Amino acid sequence: MAIGSRLLEQLSEPLEVAGHQLSLGASIGVAVHPRDGDHADDLVRRADVAMYAAKEAGRGRVEAFRHELARDLGESVGIEHELRLGIQRGEFDVHYQPEVDLKSGEIVGVEALVRWTSPSRGPVPPSRFIPIAEATGLILPLGEHVLRAACRQTADWRRRGLLPPGFVTWVNVSARQLAGTGMTALVDAALEEAGLAPGQLGLEVTETAIVAKGAASEQARAELQRLHEWGVRLAVDDFGTGFSSLGQLRHFPVDVIKVDRMFVQGVGTDAKDTAITANVISLAHALGLIAIAEGIESEEQLASMRRLGCDQAQGYVFARPAPAAEIEALLAGGQPLTEAA
Ligand code: C2E
Ligand code: CA
Ligand code: CA
């Protein structure tokens, strides 16, 4: 542990590289022979577990292996390994959930949502593996897969005449994917390969990814700005959960605000949720943005969202996320998913 601390200290000394001050971060895991294992493999694996614990505890720390850590983290480490393999083996599918215009009742877009069926675990919910994919960087190949699949699918629907004008396929993008400079090139390649116009693709980013201070967010904003200039639509996802204000979005080229399910749930029954939702919708409109409510489950919630003037909605009340073939049936059927207002 003492050696680990000394290493961290040495590593934290700023370095000068080509005139820039750089500082390194590290997390260190320690396993001790023979207490923690007899074989090199076991020791390295347990040092790895301790390292993950150090990262989770806030980085820049030294942790020694303990059996409780293995219990807590073993699963995450296991999932990481399976995620990696799963990406290589093509175990990830994309499902789509319709977005409905509340005036016409028509489907005006879909949200692409990744689905993983692991051969050993069965279906794993995104809430379980997306955070691990983000922490490990696996979100990069995974996000690329989803983006390409969604573009190909949308182009195919369009060629077959199934899409109304203005239809947008929305893809979730993690902050991590925007942190580098690769996103613009990736989107360009995905659109090109599919033969899709930029205006038929939308990216959903969380407010924290774009309003935060710092170089990474600066970079993310620049990437999104460029994509928006090409015509790619932008949405702020989970709006209201990140404590930012619409004011901060004033100078940012977003088209859509998605009102988080957390508030939508209580609309019509909980006075505070209703007030927050009503305000988000009217502020969105004041800024010339479209408001989409997510997670609408009941007719009552739907009626309330209509009353509040929400533009579009998405939720189990219309349709659950489903494989492309099922969405196709809805698109081809052409009947509204709810009565026109
Ligand atoms: P999100 O972007 O907020 O996506 C909406 C979530 O709400 C989806 O959960 C969807 O299935 C669920 N949902 C839709 N309608 C209803 C409803 O009426 N009631 C309830 N209770 N839930 C509803 P899902 O598919 O489990 O995804 C969870 C989260 O995982 C997403 O939240 C998103 O943050 C992330 N995610 C999913 N796919 C991707 C992806 O391809 N890339 C990235 N970066 N994140 C993704
Ligand atoms: Ca989303
Ligand atoms: Ca959301």
Side-chain angles (χ1 to χ4, degrees):
M1 296 300 278
I3 292 171
S5 301
R6 263 163 51 211
L7 277 169
L8 277 182
E9 234 166 75
Q10 288 293 309
L11 285 168
S12 67
E13 294 282 315
L15 303 167
E16 194 170 309
V17 179
H20 296 277
Q21 287 276 316
L22 301 181
S23 51
L24 290 176
S27 300
I28 298 179
V30 177
V32 181
H33 176 271
R35 188 192 65 196
D36 298 328
D38 274 340
H39 297 283
D41 278 357
D42 288 342
L43 285 168
V44 169
R45 214 175 47 238
R46 292 186 156 174
D48 229 19
V49 166
M51 182 201 63
Y52 275 101
K55 277 192 189 173
E56 270 190 15
R59 298 177 185 264
R61 300 168 65 106
V62 190
E63 283 281 347
F65 176 80
R66 284 172 283 130
H67 281 277
E68 306 90 83
L69 295 182
R71 249 199 336 269
D72 297 350
L73 281 155
E75 222 219 342
S76 293
V77 175
I79 289 195
E80 177 186 347
H81 178 68
E82 285 173 42
L83 262 175
R84 213 175 278 279
L85 280 179
I87 293 170
Q88 287 164 15
R89 293 179 184 152
E91 289 164 11
F92 292 85
D93 280 327
V94 181
H95 283 194
Y96 300 87
Q97 187 178 34
E99 290 182 343
V100 175
D101 182 283
L102 291 184
K103 287 217 174 65
S104 67
E106 310 282 349
I107 300 176
V108 289
V110 287
E111 177 174 7
L113 294 158
V114 69
R115 291 292 178 261
W116 180 27
T117 309
S118 146
S120 58
R121 296 167 190 271
V124 185
S127 57
R128 185 77 191 90
F129 68 83
I130 292 283
I132 297 169
E134 285 173 341
T136 54
L138 288 170
I139 194 68
L140 298 176
L142 187 58
E144 175 170 350
H145 169 71
V146 173
L147 179 69
R148 285 181 189 272
C151 287
R152 270 198 310 271
Q153 185 60 64
T154 310
D156 177 57
W157 283 334
R158 204 207 39 181
R159 273 191 285 272
R160 290 157 55 205
L162 293 168
L163 303 183
F167 185 97
V168 178
T169 294
W170 294 94
V171 175
N172 292 287
V173 173
S174 297
R176 180 90 183 240
Q177 293 173 268
L178 295 166
T181 51
M183 199 59 195
T184 319
L186 178 58
V187 170
D188 189 29
L191 289 171
E192 172 85 31
E193 171 192 274
L196 195 68
Q200 295 213 280
L201 175 67
L203 302 180
E204 298 192 1
V205 291
T206 58
E207 47 186 316
T208 39
I210 50 170
V211 301
K213 294 201 172 61
S217 296
E218 207 71 55
Q219 173 67 39
R221 282 193 288 269
E223 291 274 307
L224 291 171
Q225 198 105 34
R226 205 159 31 239
L227 288 165
H228 193 258
E229 277 158 22
W230 289 354
V232 173
R233 323 296 315 237
L234 297 181
V236 181
D237 205 355
D238 306 335
F239 191 81
T241 59
F243 302 106
S244 60
S245 69
L246 275 173
Q248 286 172 279
L249 298 175
R250 209 165 27 157
H251 303 296
F252 190 75
V254 334
D255 307 287
V256 166
I257 295 235
K258 296 193 86 170
V259 189
D260 194 69
R261 189 169 82 227
M262 191 166 94
F263 306 115
V264 170
Q265 263 171 355
V267 158
T269 52
D270 180 286
K272 287 179 184 161
D273 285 350
T274 311
I276 291 170
T277 305
N279 274 287
V280 171
I281 293 170
S282 59
L283 276 164
H285 289 165
L287 292 173
L289 310 177
I290 291 172
I292 304 185
E294 55 180 30
I296 307 269
E297 294 182 352
S298 69
E299 290 295 338
E300 290 73 24
Q301 287 168 338
L302 180 57
S304 303
M305 292 317 301
R306 275 217 172 88
R307 219 171 30 245
L308 295 176
C310 191
D311 305 289
Q312 297 176 19
Q314 158 185 13
Y316 296 168
V317 74
F318 303 120
R320 291 187 176 247
E326 281 175 42
I327 298 302
E328 227 162 276
L330 292 176
L331 288 167
Q335 64 273 69
L337 289 187
T338 174
E339 81 269 20

